[in-house]
Amino acid sequence: MAKTNPARGMRDFLPADVRKREYVIKIIKEVYESYGFEPLETPAVENLETLLGKYGEEGNQLIFRILKRGEKLDLQNATSENDLADLALRYDLTVPLARVVSHYRDKLPKFLKRYQIQPVWRADRPARGRFREFFQCDVDWIGSRSAVIEAELISAVTDVLRRLGFNDFWVRINHRDLLLTLLGGFGICPELLDPAVIVVDKLDKIGPAAVAGELKALGVEKAESLVSIIQKTTSSVEELRKDFGSGPVPDAALENLEAIISLANCPAVIIDPSLARGLSYYTGAIFEINVPDLAGSLGGGGRYDGLIGMFSKEQIPACGFSLGLERILVVMEERRMFPPEIETASPADVLVTLFSSETIRESLKIAAELRTAGIRVTVYPEPDKIGKQLRYADQINIPIVVLVGESELQEDSVSIKNLVQSGQKSVGRKNLIKEIKAMLPTR
Amino acid sequence: MAKTNPARGMRDFLPADVRKREYVIKIIKEVYESYGFEPLETPAVENLETLLGKYGEEGNQLIFRILKRGEKLDLQNATSENDLADLALRYDLTVPLARVVSHYRDKLPKFLKRYQIQPVWRADRPARGRFREFFQCDVDWIGSRSAVIEAELISAVTDVLRRLGFNDFWVRINHRDLLLTLLGGFGICPELLDPAVIVVDKLDKIGPAAVAGELKALGVEKAESLVSIIQKTTSSVEELRKDFGSGPVPDAALENLEAIISLANCPAVIIDPSLARGLSYYTGAIFEINVPDLAGSLGGGGRYDGLIGMFSKEQIPACGFSLGLERILVVMEERRMFPPEIETASPADVLVTLFSSETIRESLKIAAELRTAGIRVTVYPEPDKIGKQLRYADQINIPIVVLVGESELQEDSVSIKNLVQSGQKSVGRKNLIKEIKAMLPTR
């Protein structure tokens, strides 16, 4: 017997799951569109070279590679996996966006505002809330270095969360230069900055003592005091400035953070000097959104002024935010945040029964008439005992059953059975639509 | 410089493309849901073994395989591509559905009605209208052998096409047993039936003479008269029965076709004895939908009573229809079938200008207020010459610009410029929302 489970770390979504996903996606789209962001979609599959060298070493290893086909696949002379693969599944939506911006530069407005809600794939070790296929809900603004970009992006994603019913999130913000200057001031040599950032990024997972230990191994003598500095969150840039003491001060980064915080005008924004973000393409402000009852973040992002330049001659500044659909769904599920019409959706308003082979055509005709009137109608697929048909309707949560029997047809009437209120009545064919509409909640 | 094109045979969708795709998908979903079909989604990636052996030899070769990772990738001992790959991109939505039905049998209703609108991938040679990533819009009904299934599926997909504005399509229908009996009656031996079906499937592409030639090579003496029989379309099953002459007659298949046609009650349905459908999993009625101005079909499907049994002990009957999103879009684009609000969509209703660094906060505040009132607002990202900001609004098709300057702020007013009607007026801040709503078309 063949295996029937989905591939490791991937999931099937049954109807109730899809409805919840679509409910959240709809709100995200509405809010992004209210800010003037436009939809973009890119293929799941990219040329391998498009993805390589953009995410750092750790990211490279998590890319799903697609085997070359036909004559291109030269098994005998292949020495590495990159000889065997020419394509790959996208790892995020940011690198494809950078490729698109370079490719269609002439067709796109100077300031491109795009959103993109699509799956990405990472060959990560599956864990609770961590999947190998998951949806990112990205919103990016291309073409300006202004702090207005960051401020409006923060405003858009926090609007999304509020519309979904979240009111206890906070937005952590930091700046790559701030972190790098701080690490440099504590004696990290330039070539060890990237590994040091990755160590800092693990603070939430491994705790301060372990981070201090790993930083010591990278050459930081006063690792404990460095860790104690980055552990302090604040909403005041001035307070933060003090932490640099007599060392070099990243003035531009501090001013940028100050401008973003002032324009965002959102009490949920706090500066977290330990925020690092794993991806290597970030160059400026970085952010992450958290809620108390989730270990990971609901989303994150940052400025990546260098990435588009890796695809084109032009250096084009850019900044974006990505909400994780699965993380949002996990929390909403646990907190029961879905409206009742999503939780209790039924596949149809009405089931039309099939009494006998002689009545099938009439049943299908009635179903078609009801659909024309905007009513969602399913038909029992084969003549069967009426009790069985009623149980089926009840089982799949359909509130109304229309019974079309031979006697009813002779009298030009049908019976309507309300499974919610347990009533049944016979109505004339010409009143059927009106009667059913009266029984349904107004939509 | 890195390549910036999408991978071969795949496409990026810019905002105008996405809007058209979403318009069509929305109508397909609405119609499928009006028939009581529920949404299902499965991962893009399946275990390779799930897909192998389901589509026939030709299909197997078009599957994109995903390279094994880490220690599982044993380059030295690999002798074939199946040693190198453990996963694959889904080739259609039917085999994943069969896997899902087997896997969640206890959680799913006896008669499962599901729709699924997702991309599939095939390593086919790209051509006009043929892509390596394309969307299928599938609707399937599981659990019954009744002809009601086929009739209602035909009704659902033809409703979709009518709702999209098509009125010149026809639904070709055939039955696998009818074709196989016909081929057998003309002397094709059982082991050559599958290749013969593939030859018949090429009738549209290579023409009757070439098909006759290839059938002769498979052992059909009277190939010309076989081809002349399958070339005749009809809407009468009785007429079709005559073509079997003194040979064996597939009574059950003919009765099934008769029942489907009678229940579907749709003048666009015609029997086409040459209809073959390439996929090997079909077992009963098969169909395809065509329009005059497209060489390929807009969609197709059929009954596959054996496929789910390949995944489970239980043989579960099933039937489905798949609309090709890309084919529908190609024809709609050429015939200009999109409503004006889709063709001329703008990214926002209003652009709010940024006059100077002193007015930014006020501009963002106004933008937020307008959004709260349901107006879609974009903000120019940085202070700049007003002429430039107006040209940008015009270029991206935004009808209304709100000018927030220092003098306006002092007077607690703003200026509204209508780029469509070329008017400009100053209004008090408290009247702004009302004034703008009056300028927008009602939605």
Short mmCIF file of all heavy atoms in Angstrom, two decimals, chain B residues 282-307:
data_model
loop_
_atom_site.label_atom_id
_atom_site.label_comp_id
_atom_site.label_asym_id
_atom_site.label_seq_id
_atom_site.Cartn_x
_atom_site.Cartn_y
_atom_site.Cartn_z
N TYR B 282 -7.89 7.63 -16.04
CA TYR B 282 -9.34 7.70 -16.32
C TYR B 282 -9.92 6.32 -16.60
O TYR B 282 -9.30 5.48 -17.25
CB TYR B 282 -9.62 8.62 -17.50
CG TYR B 282 -9.37 10.07 -17.19
CD1 TYR B 282 -8.42 10.81 -17.88
CD2 TYR B 282 -10.08 10.71 -16.17
CE1 TYR B 282 -8.19 12.15 -17.59
CE2 TYR B 282 -9.85 12.04 -15.86
CZ TYR B 282 -8.91 12.75 -16.57
OH TYR B 282 -8.67 14.07 -16.27
N THR B 283 -11.16 6.10 -16.10
CA THR B 283 -11.78 4.78 -16.25
C THR B 283 -13.16 4.84 -16.88
O THR B 283 -13.70 3.80 -17.26
CB THR B 283 -11.95 4.11 -14.87
OG1 THR B 283 -12.71 5.01 -14.03
CG2 THR B 283 -10.61 3.81 -14.23
N GLY B 284 -13.80 6.01 -16.94
CA GLY B 284 -15.18 6.07 -17.42
C GLY B 284 -15.39 7.23 -18.37
O GLY B 284 -14.62 7.40 -19.32
N ALA B 285 -16.43 8.04 -18.09
CA ALA B 285 -16.69 9.20 -18.92
C ALA B 285 -15.49 10.16 -18.86
O ALA B 285 -14.85 10.31 -17.81
CB ALA B 285 -17.95 9.92 -18.43
N ILE B 286 -15.19 10.76 -20.00
CA ILE B 286 -14.15 11.79 -20.05
C ILE B 286 -14.71 12.99 -20.79
O ILE B 286 -15.59 12.83 -21.63
CB ILE B 286 -12.85 11.29 -20.75
CG1 ILE B 286 -13.19 10.55 -22.04
CG2 ILE B 286 -12.05 10.39 -19.83
CD1 ILE B 286 -11.98 10.00 -22.77
N PHE B 287 -14.23 14.19 -20.44
CA PHE B 287 -14.74 15.37 -21.13
C PHE B 287 -13.67 16.42 -21.36
O PHE B 287 -12.62 16.40 -20.71
CB PHE B 287 -15.90 16.06 -20.39
CG PHE B 287 -16.29 15.50 -19.07
CD1 PHE B 287 -15.49 15.68 -17.94
CD2 PHE B 287 -17.46 14.78 -18.94
CE1 PHE B 287 -15.87 15.18 -16.71
CE2 PHE B 287 -17.85 14.27 -17.71
CZ PHE B 287 -17.06 14.46 -16.59
N GLU B 288 -14.00 17.32 -22.25
CA GLU B 288 -13.12 18.44 -22.55
C GLU B 288 -13.99 19.60 -23.00
O GLU B 288 -14.99 19.38 -23.67
CB GLU B 288 -12.13 18.05 -23.66
CG GLU B 288 -10.68 18.34 -23.32
CD GLU B 288 -9.70 17.73 -24.30
OE1 GLU B 288 -9.53 18.30 -25.39
OE2 GLU B 288 -9.11 16.69 -23.97
N ILE B 289 -13.58 20.81 -22.65
CA ILE B 289 -14.34 22.00 -23.08
C ILE B 289 -13.50 22.81 -24.05
O ILE B 289 -12.32 23.07 -23.78
CB ILE B 289 -14.72 22.90 -21.88
CG1 ILE B 289 -15.65 22.14 -20.93
CG2 ILE B 289 -15.41 24.16 -22.36
CD1 ILE B 289 -16.41 23.05 -20.00
N ASN B 290 -14.11 23.21 -25.15
CA ASN B 290 -13.38 23.98 -26.16
C ASN B 290 -14.13 25.24 -26.55
O ASN B 290 -15.34 25.32 -26.41
CB ASN B 290 -13.19 23.14 -27.43
CG ASN B 290 -12.35 21.90 -27.17
OD1 ASN B 290 -12.86 20.91 -26.67
ND2 ASN B 290 -11.08 21.98 -27.50
N VAL B 291 -13.37 26.21 -27.05
CA VAL B 291 -13.95 27.37 -27.73
C VAL B 291 -13.29 27.45 -29.11
O VAL B 291 -12.19 26.92 -29.31
CB VAL B 291 -13.70 28.69 -26.95
CG1 VAL B 291 -14.62 28.78 -25.74
CG2 VAL B 291 -12.25 28.83 -26.54
N PRO B 292 -13.96 28.13 -30.06
CA PRO B 292 -13.46 28.10 -31.45
C PRO B 292 -12.06 28.70 -31.60
O PRO B 292 -11.26 28.22 -32.40
CB PRO B 292 -14.48 28.96 -32.22
CG PRO B 292 -15.67 29.10 -31.34
CD PRO B 292 -15.22 28.88 -29.95
N ASP B 293 -11.74 29.74 -30.83
CA ASP B 293 -10.50 30.47 -31.08
C ASP B 293 -9.33 30.02 -30.22
O ASP B 293 -8.39 30.78 -30.00
CB ASP B 293 -10.73 31.99 -30.91
CG ASP B 293 -11.52 32.33 -29.65
OD1 ASP B 293 -12.14 31.40 -29.07
OD2 ASP B 293 -11.53 33.49 -29.26
N LEU B 294 -9.36 28.79 -29.72
CA LEU B 294 -8.21 28.27 -28.98
C LEU B 294 -7.95 26.84 -29.43
O LEU B 294 -8.86 26.02 -29.47
CB LEU B 294 -8.50 28.31 -27.47
CG LEU B 294 -7.32 27.92 -26.57
CD1 LEU B 294 -6.37 29.10 -26.39
CD2 LEU B 294 -7.80 27.44 -25.20
N ALA B 295 -6.71 26.56 -29.79
CA ALA B 295 -6.37 25.22 -30.29
C ALA B 295 -6.55 24.17 -29.19
O ALA B 295 -7.15 23.13 -29.41
CB ALA B 295 -4.95 25.21 -30.81
N GLY B 296 -6.05 24.43 -28.01
CA GLY B 296 -6.20 23.47 -26.91
C GLY B 296 -7.57 23.59 -26.27
O GLY B 296 -8.47 24.23 -26.80
N SER B 297 -7.73 22.96 -25.11
CA SER B 297 -9.03 23.01 -24.43
C SER B 297 -8.97 23.98 -23.25
O SER B 297 -7.90 24.26 -22.72
CB SER B 297 -9.40 21.62 -23.93
OG SER B 297 -8.52 21.22 -22.92
N LEU B 298 -10.13 24.48 -22.83
CA LEU B 298 -10.20 25.33 -21.64
C LEU B 298 -10.17 24.49 -20.37
O LEU B 298 -9.92 25.00 -19.29
CB LEU B 298 -11.50 26.15 -21.65
CG LEU B 298 -11.62 27.27 -22.67
CD1 LEU B 298 -12.92 28.04 -22.44
CD2 LEU B 298 -10.45 28.23 -22.58
N GLY B 299 -10.47 23.20 -20.53
CA GLY B 299 -10.50 22.34 -19.36
C GLY B 299 -10.91 20.94 -19.77
O GLY B 299 -11.29 20.71 -20.91
N GLY B 300 -10.77 20.04 -18.84
CA GLY B 300 -11.16 18.67 -19.15
C GLY B 300 -11.20 17.86 -17.88
O GLY B 300 -10.87 18.36 -16.80
N GLY B 301 -11.62 16.62 -18.01
CA GLY B 301 -11.68 15.79 -16.82
C GLY B 301 -12.26 14.44 -17.14
O GLY B 301 -12.30 14.02 -18.29
N GLY B 302 -12.71 13.78 -16.09
CA GLY B 302 -13.29 12.47 -16.31
C GLY B 302 -13.40 11.69 -15.02
O GLY B 302 -13.09 12.18 -13.93
N ARG B 303 -13.84 10.45 -15.18
CA ARG B 303 -14.05 9.57 -14.04
C ARG B 303 -12.80 8.72 -13.84
O ARG B 303 -12.21 8.23 -14.80
CB ARG B 303 -15.28 8.70 -14.31
CG ARG B 303 -15.62 7.73 -13.21
CD ARG B 303 -17.00 7.15 -13.37
NE ARG B 303 -18.04 8.06 -12.90
CZ ARG B 303 -18.37 8.23 -11.61
NH1 ARG B 303 -17.74 7.55 -10.66
NH2 ARG B 303 -19.32 9.07 -11.27
N TYR B 304 -12.40 8.58 -12.58
CA TYR B 304 -11.20 7.79 -12.27
C TYR B 304 -11.50 6.91 -11.06
O TYR B 304 -11.07 7.19 -9.96
CB TYR B 304 -9.98 8.70 -12.04
CG TYR B 304 -10.21 9.86 -11.08
CD1 TYR B 304 -9.85 9.78 -9.75
CD2 TYR B 304 -10.79 11.04 -11.52
CE1 TYR B 304 -10.07 10.82 -8.87
CE2 TYR B 304 -11.03 12.09 -10.64
CZ TYR B 304 -10.66 11.97 -9.33
OH TYR B 304 -10.88 13.01 -8.46
N ASP B 305 -12.24 5.84 -11.30
CA ASP B 305 -12.71 5.01 -10.19
C ASP B 305 -11.61 4.14 -9.58
O ASP B 305 -11.80 3.54 -8.53
CB ASP B 305 -13.88 4.12 -10.66
CG ASP B 305 -15.16 4.92 -10.87
OD1 ASP B 305 -15.20 6.09 -10.44
OD2 ASP B 305 -16.11 4.38 -11.46
N GLY B 306 -10.45 4.07 -10.24
CA GLY B 306 -9.40 3.20 -9.73
C GLY B 306 -8.27 3.91 -8.99
O GLY B 306 -7.48 3.28 -8.29
N LEU B 307 -8.20 5.23 -9.12
CA LEU B 307 -7.02 5.94 -8.62
C LEU B 307 -6.91 5.94 -7.10
O LEU B 307 -5.83 5.70 -6.54
CB LEU B 307 -7.03 7.38 -9.15
CG LEU B 307 -5.82 8.24 -8.81
CD1 LEU B 307 -4.53 7.64 -9.35
CD2 LEU B 307 -6.00 9.67 -9.32
#
